[in-house]
Every structure is written in structure tokens, then in C-alpha cells.
Amino acid sequence: MIPDELIEAVGNARHVTVLTGAGVSAESGVPTFREAQSGLWARYDPMELATPEAFAANPRLVWDWYRFRRELVLGVEPNPGHRALVELESLLPEFTLVTQNVDGLHARAGSRDVVEFHGNLFTDRCFAEDKVVAGQESTQLPFCPDCGAPLRPGVVWFGESIPEAARDRAFAAARDCDVFFSIGTSSLVYPAAGLVEVARDAEATLVEINPEPTEIAQTLHYALAGASGEVLPALVKRLKDHRS
Ligand code: BJW
């Protein structure tokens, strides 16, 4: 299932860059962004809740959704895919992990330096001044202690810019790598979906891991059709066998 040539390419790589998406957390029990929501949230489309317009129109609804998700994530654990990425990092000279996920599960698994492209579910930001503020858990609508404006979750919504430091690091890592992995993402949301094109221009080996090959799969060097919690541990094992 994993070709020898790919193991050689990863084994000989100077710098590997990995982009992860919601699929990597699916096996922990965190629903992906584009699968239908269940229970209380079944009638809401995440694409319509994750916008500044939705927050301005109904902050209570949007906060209820994010508080529900905070609780959900606090009740789950990193899975073998997250843990395999920690091990992969330790086997390579240079490794950059960029995630679109806001759930913090890579860090909880032990990844030391995660580029959080779409922010973090557990931080709060001031809706007026856009700065991160120490949030306080509350059932009320939280307000900025400095200016009194509403606080909002510290994530990146549609139509908003990617935090500059994360964007710069992610694009530099895509430009600099010799193997680029796109794992558990539908590759539909930009600018994250543009990283693979930057890596292509840099002549990196391009790899996707996804049980449902995406629209870009055919344009990549390798599309490994499977769950990240199965394919990544197998890849790490093959890499270690190859080295011994
Ligand atoms: C498994 C699995 C298993 C299942 N193992 N895999 C250029 C062209 C067109 C549009 C744009 C463009 N540039 C910008 C835009 C607009 C917009 C955009 O991209 N829209 C598209 C929908 C077309 N982008 C933006 O607005 C961005 N801002 C920006 O560019 O600012 C400047 C600008 C603004 C306006 C116009 C032009 C420029 C910001 C994007 C922010 C995205 N934010 C969200 C919400 C975060 C907060 C939250 O979580 O609530 O980020 S949206 C959502 O999508 C979330 C995710 O990080 C992101 C990506 O989703 P992901 O991770 O790919 O998840 P899914 O669910 O889509 O896919 C899961 C995959 O896993 C599937 O493929 C499964 O098969 C797979 N899977 N089980 C492995 N076990």
C-alpha cells in the first residue's frame, strides 16, 4: 500500500512539511468540518456559523456552538495518526507541521511546534481589536476586559486573514521542503489549499493521505487511500525498518 519509492523519498528528505485537516482528528471522535453535524447542531451548516457575519448577527448562537465543540474536544484523546506524526518528526532532520485544525490535538499528542493556520479553539480574541485576550469560561457572552467589546473564539473565520506569523511559516515551509504531505483535508479552503501548489513549484514530492481521494489527488505523486490513523503508523514503521 505504501510504495518503497515513497519511503526512500521520506527517508532521504532534508525537510518534510505536513499539512493536516479535520480528517486527522476524525478517529478521535471530532467530526470533520464538511460532514453533517449531529444532535443539537444537525440543522446548522458549519460554513454559515464560522463567519464574522454570523457572530455579529447572533453571538450567542455562535458561542454556544464553540462551547459545545470545546467540551467535545476536551472529552477526546489524540489518536494513532497524531502520535505517528510526533514520531515522524523525531526521525527527520527538519519537519514542519502545519494544521488547519483548531482542536489542539497535535500538541496534546506531543508535537512540539505546531503552526496553527486557522487559530485555536481554546483562545478568545477581542472582536473589535483582534487581539488575543485571556478568556474566562462563562455561560454569558464574554467581553474584552480592556475595551468592553465582545470576545469571540480565537479561530479564523471565512473572509478573515490567516495570522501573519502562521501564514509566513507555512508558506516558507512549503517552499523549502522536499516532501509535502496533505493529510485529512478536503483541500477546498484557501489559502491553506494553495500550500501544495507552492510545494509543487519547489519540486517537492507531493503525497495525500485520505480515505476519499480529493479532487487534487490525481495531480500528486502519491495518493494513499486510507485513514490517517492507520496509514501514518504504517508509514513510520516502514521508515524505521528501512533505516535499520
Ligand atoms: C480523513 C479521515 C481519516 C475523514 N483520515 N482523512 C481562493 C479561491 C476561492 C476562495 C478563496 C480563495 N482565497 C480565499 C477564499 C475564500 C475562503 C475559501 O477558501 N473559501 C472556499 C470554501 C472556496 N477563504 C477564506 O476566507 C480564508 N481567508 C482568506 O483567504 O482571507 C483573505 C481573503 C478573504 C476573502 C476573499 C479572498 C481573500 C479563511 C479561511 C478560514 C477557514 N476557517 C475554517 C473554520 C475554522 C474555525 C472552526 O473550526 O470553527 O477552518 S472553515 C473549515 O475548513 C475549517 C477547516 O480548518 C477548513 C478546512 O477543512 P478541512 O480540514 O479540509 O476539513 P473537511 O471537513 O473539509 O475535510 C475533511 C477531510 O478529511 C475529507 O477529505 C475526508 O475525506 C477526510 N477524512 N476521515 C484521513 N480518518
Side-chain angles (χ1 to χ4, degrees), residues 21-23 27 32-34 66 69 100 102 118 155-160 184-186 188-191 210-211 227-228:
E27 288 156 272
T32 65
F33 215 77
R34 276 160 192 79
Y66 279 94
R69 290 173 57 201
Q100 297 169 86
V102 297
H118 289 159
V155 300
V156 181
W157 284 328
F158 283 112
E160 296 186 319
T185 175
S186 55
L188 292 173
V189 175
Y190 285 84
N210 197 313
S228 50

PDB file of all heavy atoms in Angstrom, residues 21-23 27 32-34 66 69 100 102 118 155-160 184-186 188-191 210-211 227-228, ligand 1:
ATOM      1  N   GLY A  21      -5.676  18.330   8.183  1.00  0.00           N
ATOM      2  CA  GLY A  21      -7.027  18.876   8.244  1.00  0.00           C
ATOM      3  C   GLY A  21      -7.886  18.024   9.170  1.00  0.00           C
ATOM      4  O   GLY A  21      -7.393  17.100   9.850  1.00  0.00           O
ATOM      5  N   ALA A  22      -9.169  18.318   9.153  1.00  0.00           N
ATOM      6  CA  ALA A  22     -10.103  17.738  10.128  1.00  0.00           C
ATOM      7  C   ALA A  22     -10.107  16.205  10.137  1.00  0.00           C
ATOM      8  O   ALA A  22     -10.376  15.595  11.176  1.00  0.00           O
ATOM      9  CB  ALA A  22     -11.508  18.257   9.836  1.00  0.00           C
ATOM     10  N   GLY A  23      -9.791  15.581   9.000  1.00  0.00           N
ATOM     11  CA  GLY A  23      -9.810  14.119   8.926  1.00  0.00           C
ATOM     12  C   GLY A  23      -8.849  13.472   9.909  1.00  0.00           C
ATOM     13  O   GLY A  23      -9.084  12.346  10.366  1.00  0.00           O
ATOM     14  N   GLU A  27     -10.713  10.196  13.761  1.00  0.00           N
ATOM     15  CA  GLU A  27     -10.632   8.940  14.526  1.00  0.00           C
ATOM     16  C   GLU A  27     -10.557   9.169  16.042  1.00  0.00           C
ATOM     17  O   GLU A  27     -10.655   8.220  16.811  1.00  0.00           O
ATOM     18  CB  GLU A  27      -9.442   8.116  14.042  1.00  0.00           C
ATOM     19  CG  GLU A  27      -9.700   7.522  12.661  1.00  0.00           C
ATOM     20  CD  GLU A  27      -8.408   7.230  11.924  1.00  0.00           C
ATOM     21  OE1 GLU A  27      -7.901   8.139  11.223  1.00  0.00           O
ATOM     22  OE2 GLU A  27      -7.903   6.108  12.057  1.00  0.00           O
ATOM     23  N   THR A  32     -15.597  15.930  11.187  1.00  0.00           N
ATOM     24  CA  THR A  32     -14.922  16.788  10.213  1.00  0.00           C
ATOM     25  C   THR A  32     -15.832  17.972   9.885  1.00  0.00           C
ATOM     26  O   THR A  32     -17.008  17.990  10.246  1.00  0.00           O
ATOM     27  CB  THR A  32     -14.579  16.031   8.909  1.00  0.00           C
ATOM     28  OG1 THR A  32     -15.806  15.662   8.278  1.00  0.00           O
ATOM     29  CG2 THR A  32     -13.718  14.815   9.176  1.00  0.00           C
ATOM     30  N   PHE A  33     -15.246  18.968   9.227  1.00  0.00           N
ATOM     31  CA  PHE A  33     -15.985  20.209   9.001  1.00  0.00           C
ATOM     32  C   PHE A  33     -17.125  20.035   8.013  1.00  0.00           C
ATOM     33  O   PHE A  33     -18.191  20.608   8.168  1.00  0.00           O
ATOM     34  CB  PHE A  33     -15.017  21.291   8.508  1.00  0.00           C
ATOM     35  CG  PHE A  33     -15.390  22.639   9.020  1.00  0.00           C
ATOM     36  CD1 PHE A  33     -15.098  23.000  10.330  1.00  0.00           C
ATOM     37  CD2 PHE A  33     -16.082  23.528   8.224  1.00  0.00           C
ATOM     38  CE1 PHE A  33     -15.477  24.233  10.827  1.00  0.00           C
ATOM     39  CE2 PHE A  33     -16.461  24.761   8.711  1.00  0.00           C
ATOM     40  CZ  PHE A  33     -16.155  25.118  10.006  1.00  0.00           C
ATOM     41  N   ARG A  34     -16.890  19.217   7.000  1.00  0.00           N
ATOM     42  CA  ARG A  34     -17.892  19.116   5.944  1.00  0.00           C
ATOM     43  C   ARG A  34     -18.834  17.924   6.075  1.00  0.00           C
ATOM     44  O   ARG A  34     -19.694  17.739   5.230  1.00  0.00           O
ATOM     45  CB  ARG A  34     -17.212  19.169   4.568  1.00  0.00           C
ATOM     46  CG  ARG A  34     -16.981  20.600   4.182  1.00  0.00           C
ATOM     47  CD  ARG A  34     -15.958  20.876   3.138  1.00  0.00           C
ATOM     48  NE  ARG A  34     -15.716  22.318   3.162  1.00  0.00           N
ATOM     49  CZ  ARG A  34     -14.948  22.946   4.058  1.00  0.00           C
ATOM     50  NH1 ARG A  34     -14.312  22.264   4.984  1.00  0.00           N
ATOM     51  NH2 ARG A  34     -14.823  24.267   4.036  1.00  0.00           N
ATOM     52  N   TYR A  66     -19.366  27.014  19.670  1.00  0.00           N
ATOM     53  CA  TYR A  66     -17.950  26.851  20.023  1.00  0.00           C
ATOM     54  C   TYR A  66     -17.783  26.241  21.407  1.00  0.00           C
ATOM     55  O   TYR A  66     -16.884  25.430  21.640  1.00  0.00           O
ATOM     56  CB  TYR A  66     -17.186  28.175  19.866  1.00  0.00           C
ATOM     57  CG  TYR A  66     -16.829  28.396  18.411  1.00  0.00           C
ATOM     58  CD1 TYR A  66     -17.640  29.148  17.579  1.00  0.00           C
ATOM     59  CD2 TYR A  66     -15.708  27.778  17.855  1.00  0.00           C
ATOM     60  CE1 TYR A  66     -17.340  29.307  16.234  1.00  0.00           C
ATOM     61  CE2 TYR A  66     -15.402  27.927  16.512  1.00  0.00           C
ATOM     62  CZ  TYR A  66     -16.215  28.694  15.710  1.00  0.00           C
ATOM     63  OH  TYR A  66     -15.912  28.827  14.383  1.00  0.00           O
ATOM     64  N   ARG A  69     -18.241  22.627  21.065  1.00  0.00           N
ATOM     65  CA  ARG A  69     -17.065  21.994  20.455  1.00  0.00           C
ATOM     66  C   ARG A  69     -15.890  21.937  21.440  1.00  0.00           C
ATOM     67  O   ARG A  69     -15.118  20.980  21.451  1.00  0.00           O
ATOM     68  CB  ARG A  69     -16.699  22.723  19.166  1.00  0.00           C
ATOM     69  CG  ARG A  69     -17.758  22.464  18.077  1.00  0.00           C
ATOM     70  CD  ARG A  69     -17.527  23.304  16.850  1.00  0.00           C
ATOM     71  NE  ARG A  69     -16.214  23.094  16.282  1.00  0.00           N
ATOM     72  CZ  ARG A  69     -15.603  23.974  15.476  1.00  0.00           C
ATOM     73  NH1 ARG A  69     -16.207  25.090  15.139  1.00  0.00           N
ATOM     74  NH2 ARG A  69     -14.421  23.710  14.992  1.00  0.00           N
ATOM     75  N   GLN A 100      -4.663  22.885   9.926  1.00  0.00           N
ATOM     76  CA  GLN A 100      -5.839  23.741   9.818  1.00  0.00           C
ATOM     77  C   GLN A 100      -6.754  23.512  11.017  1.00  0.00           C
ATOM     78  O   GLN A 100      -7.737  24.214  11.192  1.00  0.00           O
ATOM     79  CB  GLN A 100      -6.610  23.404   8.538  1.00  0.00           C
ATOM     80  CG  GLN A 100      -5.830  23.650   7.264  1.00  0.00           C
ATOM     81  CD  GLN A 100      -6.545  23.034   6.067  1.00  0.00           C
ATOM     82  OE1 GLN A 100      -7.409  23.647   5.463  1.00  0.00           O
ATOM     83  NE2 GLN A 100      -6.189  21.813   5.734  1.00  0.00           N
ATOM     84  N   VAL A 102      -8.242  23.353  14.766  1.00  0.00           N
ATOM     85  CA  VAL A 102      -8.210  24.304  15.876  1.00  0.00           C
ATOM     86  C   VAL A 102      -8.311  23.570  17.217  1.00  0.00           C
ATOM     87  O   VAL A 102      -8.419  24.200  18.264  1.00  0.00           O
ATOM     88  CB  VAL A 102      -9.365  25.334  15.737  1.00  0.00           C
ATOM     89  CG1 VAL A 102      -9.204  26.166  14.471  1.00  0.00           C
ATOM     90  CG2 VAL A 102     -10.745  24.650  15.753  1.00  0.00           C
ATOM     91  N   HIS A 118      -5.379  28.111  11.281  1.00  0.00           N
ATOM     92  CA  HIS A 118      -6.722  28.664  11.493  1.00  0.00           C
ATOM     93  C   HIS A 118      -6.996  28.976  12.963  1.00  0.00           C
ATOM     94  O   HIS A 118      -8.152  29.042  13.376  1.00  0.00           O
ATOM     95  CB  HIS A 118      -7.788  27.703  10.949  1.00  0.00           C
ATOM     96  CG  HIS A 118      -7.813  27.631   9.453  1.00  0.00           C
ATOM     97  ND1 HIS A 118      -8.364  26.579   8.754  1.00  0.00           N
ATOM     98  CD2 HIS A 118      -7.345  28.495   8.513  1.00  0.00           C
ATOM     99  CE1 HIS A 118      -8.235  26.788   7.451  1.00  0.00           C
ATOM    100  NE2 HIS A 118      -7.611  27.941   7.275  1.00  0.00           N
ATOM    101  N   VAL A 155     -10.310  31.759  16.471  1.00  0.00           N
ATOM    102  CA  VAL A 155     -10.148  30.961  15.248  1.00  0.00           C
ATOM    103  C   VAL A 155     -10.281  31.880  14.039  1.00  0.00           C
ATOM    104  O   VAL A 155     -10.677  33.034  14.177  1.00  0.00           O
ATOM    105  CB  VAL A 155     -11.219  29.839  15.174  1.00  0.00           C
ATOM    106  CG1 VAL A 155     -11.097  28.895  16.363  1.00  0.00           C
ATOM    107  CG2 VAL A 155     -12.622  30.427  15.109  1.00  0.00           C
ATOM    108  N   VAL A 156      -9.929  31.342  12.857  1.00  0.00           N
ATOM    109  CA  VAL A 156     -10.006  32.155  11.634  1.00  0.00           C
ATOM    110  C   VAL A 156     -11.284  31.786  10.880  1.00  0.00           C
ATOM    111  O   VAL A 156     -11.462  30.629  10.472  1.00  0.00           O
ATOM    112  CB  VAL A 156      -8.771  31.923  10.731  1.00  0.00           C
ATOM    113  CG1 VAL A 156      -8.858  32.801   9.487  1.00  0.00           C
ATOM    114  CG2 VAL A 156      -7.487  32.216  11.498  1.00  0.00           C
ATOM    115  N   TRP A 157     -12.153  32.758  10.719  1.00  0.00           N
ATOM    116  CA  TRP A 157     -13.413  32.527  10.016  1.00  0.00           C
ATOM    117  C   TRP A 157     -13.270  32.886   8.539  1.00  0.00           C
ATOM    118  O   TRP A 157     -12.311  33.569   8.126  1.00  0.00           O
ATOM    119  CB  TRP A 157     -14.513  33.390  10.653  1.00  0.00           C
ATOM    120  CG  TRP A 157     -15.006  32.856  11.976  1.00  0.00           C
ATOM    121  CD1 TRP A 157     -15.090  31.549  12.353  1.00  0.00           C
ATOM    122  CD2 TRP A 157     -15.490  33.632  13.090  1.00  0.00           C
ATOM    123  NE1 TRP A 157     -15.610  31.456  13.624  1.00  0.00           N
ATOM    124  CE2 TRP A 157     -15.868  32.707  14.101  1.00  0.00           C
ATOM    125  CE3 TRP A 157     -15.664  35.004  13.324  1.00  0.00           C
ATOM    126  CZ2 TRP A 157     -16.394  33.117  15.322  1.00  0.00           C
ATOM    127  CZ3 TRP A 157     -16.193  35.404  14.547  1.00  0.00           C
ATOM    128  CH2 TRP A 157     -16.554  34.471  15.531  1.00  0.00           C
ATOM    129  N   PHE A 158     -14.267  32.462   7.746  1.00  0.00           N
ATOM    130  CA  PHE A 158     -14.257  32.788   6.310  1.00  0.00           C
ATOM    131  C   PHE A 158     -14.211  34.310   6.126  1.00  0.00           C
ATOM    132  O   PHE A 158     -14.880  35.061   6.845  1.00  0.00           O
ATOM    133  CB  PHE A 158     -15.494  32.223   5.618  1.00  0.00           C
ATOM    134  CG  PHE A 158     -15.366  30.742   5.389  1.00  0.00           C
ATOM    135  CD1 PHE A 158     -16.156  29.838   6.067  1.00  0.00           C
ATOM    136  CD2 PHE A 158     -14.411  30.240   4.501  1.00  0.00           C
ATOM    137  CE1 PHE A 158     -16.009  28.472   5.882  1.00  0.00           C
ATOM    138  CE2 PHE A 158     -14.256  28.873   4.312  1.00  0.00           C
ATOM    139  CZ  PHE A 158     -15.056  27.995   4.997  1.00  0.00           C
ATOM    140  N   GLY A 159     -13.393  34.725   5.178  1.00  0.00           N
ATOM    141  CA  GLY A 159     -13.249  36.150   4.876  1.00  0.00           C
ATOM    142  C   GLY A 159     -12.212  36.834   5.743  1.00  0.00           C
ATOM    143  O   GLY A 159     -11.941  38.021   5.553  1.00  0.00           O
ATOM    144  N   GLU A 160     -11.611  36.094   6.701  1.00  0.00           N
ATOM    145  CA  GLU A 160     -10.602  36.700   7.583  1.00  0.00           C
ATOM    146  C   GLU A 160      -9.197  36.272   7.165  1.00  0.00           C
ATOM    147  O   GLU A 160      -9.006  35.217   6.560  1.00  0.00           O
ATOM    148  CB  GLU A 160     -10.858  36.272   9.036  1.00  0.00           C
ATOM    149  CG  GLU A 160     -12.187  36.780   9.560  1.00  0.00           C
ATOM    150  CD  GLU A 160     -12.384  36.491  11.031  1.00  0.00           C
ATOM    151  OE1 GLU A 160     -12.029  35.380  11.486  1.00  0.00           O
ATOM    152  OE2 GLU A 160     -12.914  37.363  11.721  1.00  0.00           O
ATOM    153  N   GLY A 184      -5.822  14.317   5.491  1.00  0.00           N
ATOM    154  CA  GLY A 184      -7.130  14.520   6.127  1.00  0.00           C
ATOM    155  C   GLY A 184      -7.746  15.870   5.859  1.00  0.00           C
ATOM    156  O   GLY A 184      -8.472  16.395   6.702  1.00  0.00           O
ATOM    157  N   THR A 185      -7.474  16.420   4.682  1.00  0.00           N
ATOM    158  CA  THR A 185      -8.109  17.692   4.326  1.00  0.00           C
ATOM    159  C   THR A 185      -8.777  17.563   2.967  1.00  0.00           C
ATOM    160  O   THR A 185      -8.258  16.881   2.082  1.00  0.00           O
ATOM    161  CB  THR A 185      -7.104  18.871   4.335  1.00  0.00           C
ATOM    162  OG1 THR A 185      -7.763  20.044   3.860  1.00  0.00           O
ATOM    163  CG2 THR A 185      -5.854  18.605   3.502  1.00  0.00           C
ATOM    164  N   SER A 186      -9.913  18.256   2.819  1.00  0.00           N
ATOM    165  CA  SER A 186     -10.610  18.228   1.532  1.00  0.00           C
ATOM    166  C   SER A 186      -9.902  19.114   0.501  1.00  0.00           C
ATOM    167  O   SER A 186     -10.255  19.090  -0.675  1.00  0.00           O
ATOM    168  CB  SER A 186     -12.061  18.678   1.709  1.00  0.00           C
ATOM    169  OG  SER A 186     -12.089  19.943   2.335  1.00  0.00           O
ATOM    170  N   LEU A 188     -10.083  22.243  -0.003  1.00  0.00           N
ATOM    171  CA  LEU A 188     -11.027  23.176  -0.631  1.00  0.00           C
ATOM    172  C   LEU A 188     -10.870  24.598  -0.120  1.00  0.00           C
ATOM    173  O   LEU A 188     -11.325  25.547  -0.762  1.00  0.00           O
ATOM    174  CB  LEU A 188     -12.475  22.713  -0.345  1.00  0.00           C
ATOM    175  CG  LEU A 188     -12.921  21.418  -1.011  1.00  0.00           C
ATOM    176  CD1 LEU A 188     -14.311  21.010  -0.500  1.00  0.00           C
ATOM    177  CD2 LEU A 188     -12.955  21.586  -2.527  1.00  0.00           C
ATOM    178  N   VAL A 189     -10.280  24.752   1.061  1.00  0.00           N
ATOM    179  CA  VAL A 189     -10.266  26.074   1.694  1.00  0.00           C
ATOM    180  C   VAL A 189      -8.897  26.740   1.510  1.00  0.00           C
ATOM    181  O   VAL A 189      -7.871  26.173   1.877  1.00  0.00           O
ATOM    182  CB  VAL A 189     -10.642  25.958   3.193  1.00  0.00           C
ATOM    183  CG1 VAL A 189     -10.519  27.298   3.897  1.00  0.00           C
ATOM    184  CG2 VAL A 189     -12.070  25.428   3.331  1.00  0.00           C
ATOM    185  N   TYR A 190      -8.926  27.929   0.933  1.00  0.00           N
ATOM    186  CA  TYR A 190      -7.718  28.715   0.675  1.00  0.00           C
ATOM    187  C   TYR A 190      -7.523  29.732   1.787  1.00  0.00           C
ATOM    188  O   TYR A 190      -8.491  30.134   2.410  1.00  0.00           O
ATOM    189  CB  TYR A 190      -7.856  29.430  -0.680  1.00  0.00           C
ATOM    190  CG  TYR A 190      -7.676  28.474  -1.824  1.00  0.00           C
ATOM    191  CD1 TYR A 190      -8.733  27.710  -2.276  1.00  0.00           C
ATOM    192  CD2 TYR A 190      -6.419  28.310  -2.409  1.00  0.00           C
ATOM    193  CE1 TYR A 190      -8.562  26.797  -3.304  1.00  0.00           C
ATOM    194  CE2 TYR A 190      -6.248  27.401  -3.441  1.00  0.00           C
ATOM    195  CZ  TYR A 190      -7.325  26.648  -3.883  1.00  0.00           C
ATOM    196  OH  TYR A 190      -7.145  25.747  -4.894  1.00  0.00           O
ATOM    197  N   PRO A 191      -6.288  30.166   2.039  1.00  0.00           N
ATOM    198  CA  PRO A 191      -5.056  29.848   1.313  1.00  0.00           C
ATOM    199  C   PRO A 191      -4.390  28.517   1.682  1.00  0.00           C
ATOM    200  O   PRO A 191      -3.427  28.141   1.019  1.00  0.00           O
ATOM    201  CB  PRO A 191      -4.142  31.015   1.652  1.00  0.00           C
ATOM    202  CG  PRO A 191      -4.627  31.537   2.948  1.00  0.00           C
ATOM    203  CD  PRO A 191      -6.083  31.269   3.018  1.00  0.00           C
ATOM    204  N   ASN A 210      -5.832  10.138   2.622  1.00  0.00           N
ATOM    205  CA  ASN A 210      -7.257  10.440   2.788  1.00  0.00           C
ATOM    206  C   ASN A 210      -8.047   9.208   2.341  1.00  0.00           C
ATOM    207  O   ASN A 210      -7.756   8.654   1.274  1.00  0.00           O
ATOM    208  CB  ASN A 210      -7.620  11.654   1.893  1.00  0.00           C
ATOM    209  CG  ASN A 210      -8.940  12.300   2.288  1.00  0.00           C
ATOM    210  OD1 ASN A 210      -9.922  11.612   2.498  1.00  0.00           O
ATOM    211  ND2 ASN A 210      -8.951  13.624   2.364  1.00  0.00           N
ATOM    212  N   PRO A 211      -9.030   8.762   3.112  1.00  0.00           N
ATOM    213  CA  PRO A 211      -9.803   7.588   2.665  1.00  0.00           C
ATOM    214  C   PRO A 211     -10.604   7.866   1.402  1.00  0.00           C
ATOM    215  O   PRO A 211     -10.946   6.926   0.671  1.00  0.00           O
ATOM    216  CB  PRO A 211     -10.732   7.281   3.847  1.00  0.00           C
ATOM    217  CG  PRO A 211     -10.663   8.442   4.762  1.00  0.00           C
ATOM    218  CD  PRO A 211      -9.452   9.246   4.438  1.00  0.00           C
ATOM    219  N   ALA A 227      -7.281   5.742   6.162  1.00  0.00           N
ATOM    220  CA  ALA A 227      -7.417   6.618   7.328  1.00  0.00           C
ATOM    221  C   ALA A 227      -6.024   6.986   7.847  1.00  0.00           C
ATOM    222  O   ALA A 227      -5.130   6.134   7.882  1.00  0.00           O
ATOM    223  CB  ALA A 227      -8.200   5.894   8.413  1.00  0.00           C
ATOM    224  N   SER A 228      -5.853   8.235   8.260  1.00  0.00           N
ATOM    225  CA  SER A 228      -4.528   8.670   8.721  1.00  0.00           C
ATOM    226  C   SER A 228      -4.082   7.876   9.950  1.00  0.00           C
ATOM    227  O   SER A 228      -2.891   7.638  10.125  1.00  0.00           O
ATOM    228  CB  SER A 228      -4.508  10.169   8.995  1.00  0.00           C
ATOM    229  OG  SER A 228      -5.576  10.538   9.817  1.00  0.00           O
TER     230      SER A 228
HETATM  231  C1  BJW B   1      -9.982  11.557   6.715  1.00  0.00           C
HETATM  232  C2  BJW B   1     -10.409  10.684   7.689  1.00  0.00           C
HETATM  233  C3  BJW B   1      -9.430   9.913   8.280  1.00  0.00           C
HETATM  234  C4  BJW B   1     -12.137  11.704   7.026  1.00  0.00           C
HETATM  235  N1  BJW B   1      -8.157  10.047   7.891  1.00  0.00           N
HETATM  236  N2  BJW B   1      -8.715  11.680   6.354  1.00  0.00           N
HETATM  237  C5  BJW B   1      -9.245  31.422  -3.387  1.00  0.00           C
HETATM  238  C6  BJW B   1     -10.190  30.784  -4.161  1.00  0.00           C
HETATM  239  C7  BJW B   1     -11.502  30.653  -3.704  1.00  0.00           C
HETATM  240  C8  BJW B   1     -11.896  31.166  -2.478  1.00  0.00           C
HETATM  241  C9  BJW B   1     -10.961  31.779  -1.717  1.00  0.00           C
HETATM  242  C10 BJW B   1      -9.665  31.922  -2.168  1.00  0.00           C
HETATM  243  N3  BJW B   1      -8.961  32.564  -1.193  1.00  0.00           N
HETATM  244  C11 BJW B   1      -9.783  32.809  -0.161  1.00  0.00           C
HETATM  245  C12 BJW B   1     -11.012  32.363  -0.447  1.00  0.00           C
HETATM  246  C13 BJW B   1     -12.204  32.433   0.448  1.00  0.00           C
HETATM  247  C14 BJW B   1     -12.202  31.372   1.522  1.00  0.00           C
HETATM  248  C15 BJW B   1     -12.240  29.993   0.868  1.00  0.00           C
HETATM  249  O1  BJW B   1     -11.259  29.294   0.751  1.00  0.00           O
HETATM  250  N4  BJW B   1     -13.425  29.532   0.508  1.00  0.00           N
HETATM  251  C16 BJW B   1     -13.580  28.200  -0.092  1.00  0.00           C
HETATM  252  C17 BJW B   1     -14.708  27.464   0.640  1.00  0.00           C
HETATM  253  C18 BJW B   1     -13.787  28.324  -1.568  1.00  0.00           C
HETATM  254  N5  BJW B   1     -11.038  31.507   2.405  1.00  0.00           N
HETATM  255  C19 BJW B   1     -11.010  32.387   3.388  1.00  0.00           C
HETATM  256  O2  BJW B   1     -11.953  33.134   3.607  1.00  0.00           O
HETATM  257  C20 BJW B   1      -9.761  32.440   4.243  1.00  0.00           C
HETATM  258  N6  BJW B   1      -9.342  33.786   4.390  1.00  0.00           N
HETATM  259  C21 BJW B   1      -8.689  34.465   3.440  1.00  0.00           C
HETATM  260  O3  BJW B   1      -8.266  33.916   2.447  1.00  0.00           O
HETATM  261  O4  BJW B   1      -8.551  35.820   3.684  1.00  0.00           O
HETATM  262  C22 BJW B   1      -8.250  36.670   2.583  1.00  0.00           C
HETATM  263  C23 BJW B   1      -9.461  36.675   1.634  1.00  0.00           C
HETATM  264  C24 BJW B   1     -10.737  36.796   2.125  1.00  0.00           C
HETATM  265  C25 BJW B   1     -11.829  36.791   1.272  1.00  0.00           C
HETATM  266  C26 BJW B   1     -11.641  36.625  -0.108  1.00  0.00           C
HETATM  267  C27 BJW B   1     -10.338  36.492  -0.601  1.00  0.00           C
HETATM  268  C28 BJW B   1      -9.233  36.531   0.282  1.00  0.00           C
HETATM  269  C29 BJW B   1     -10.028  31.955   5.667  1.00  0.00           C
HETATM  270  C30 BJW B   1     -10.428  30.527   5.738  1.00  0.00           C
HETATM  271  C31 BJW B   1     -10.795  30.161   7.178  1.00  0.00           C
HETATM  272  C32 BJW B   1     -11.346  28.763   7.300  1.00  0.00           C
HETATM  273  N7  BJW B   1     -11.868  28.575   8.605  1.00  0.00           N
HETATM  274  C33 BJW B   1     -12.451  27.297   8.955  1.00  0.00           C
HETATM  275  C34 BJW B   1     -13.146  27.437  10.334  1.00  0.00           C
HETATM  276  C35 BJW B   1     -12.136  27.484  11.466  1.00  0.00           C
HETATM  277  C36 BJW B   1     -12.796  27.647  12.777  1.00  0.00           C
HETATM  278  C37 BJW B   1     -13.646  26.473  13.177  1.00  0.00           C
HETATM  279  O5  BJW B   1     -13.184  25.313  13.190  1.00  0.00           O
HETATM  280  O6  BJW B   1     -14.797  26.713  13.514  1.00  0.00           O
HETATM  281  O7  BJW B   1     -11.423  26.287   9.021  1.00  0.00           O
HETATM  282  S1  BJW B   1     -13.563  26.652   7.725  1.00  0.00           S
HETATM  283  C38 BJW B   1     -13.096  24.975   7.895  1.00  0.00           C
HETATM  284  O8  BJW B   1     -12.473  24.489   6.691  1.00  0.00           O
HETATM  285  C39 BJW B   1     -12.024  24.959   8.988  1.00  0.00           C
HETATM  286  C40 BJW B   1     -11.055  23.953   8.440  1.00  0.00           C
HETATM  287  O9  BJW B   1      -9.778  24.156   9.011  1.00  0.00           O
HETATM  288  C41 BJW B   1     -11.098  24.222   6.955  1.00  0.00           C
HETATM  289  C42 BJW B   1     -10.602  23.094   6.112  1.00  0.00           C
HETATM  290  O10 BJW B   1     -11.394  21.974   6.291  1.00  0.00           O
HETATM  291  P1  BJW B   1     -10.718  20.542   6.259  1.00  0.00           P
HETATM  292  O11 BJW B   1      -9.780  20.414   7.386  1.00  0.00           O
HETATM  293  O12 BJW B   1     -10.197  20.263   4.909  1.00  0.00           O
HETATM  294  O13 BJW B   1     -11.959  19.617   6.636  1.00  0.00           O
HETATM  295  P2  BJW B   1     -13.082  18.969   5.685  1.00  0.00           P
HETATM  296  O14 BJW B   1     -14.202  18.597   6.586  1.00  0.00           O
HETATM  297  O15 BJW B   1     -13.375  19.829   4.530  1.00  0.00           O
HETATM  298  O16 BJW B   1     -12.392  17.671   5.092  1.00  0.00           O
HETATM  299  C43 BJW B   1     -12.057  16.552   5.906  1.00  0.00           C
HETATM  300  C44 BJW B   1     -11.323  15.557   5.049  1.00  0.00           C
HETATM  301  O17 BJW B   1     -10.889  14.502   5.896  1.00  0.00           O
HETATM  302  C45 BJW B   1     -12.190  14.911   3.962  1.00  0.00           C
HETATM  303  O18 BJW B   1     -11.483  14.953   2.713  1.00  0.00           O
HETATM  304  C46 BJW B   1     -12.351  13.466   4.425  1.00  0.00           C
HETATM  305  O19 BJW B   1     -12.413  12.525   3.339  1.00  0.00           O
HETATM  306  C47 BJW B   1     -11.093  13.282   5.205  1.00  0.00           C
HETATM  307  N8  BJW B   1     -11.146  12.248   6.244  1.00  0.00           N
HETATM  308  N9  BJW B   1     -11.816  10.818   7.802  1.00  0.00           N
HETATM  309  C48 BJW B   1      -7.865  10.943   6.905  1.00  0.00           C
HETATM  310  N10 BJW B   1      -9.767   9.006   9.229  1.00  0.00           N
END
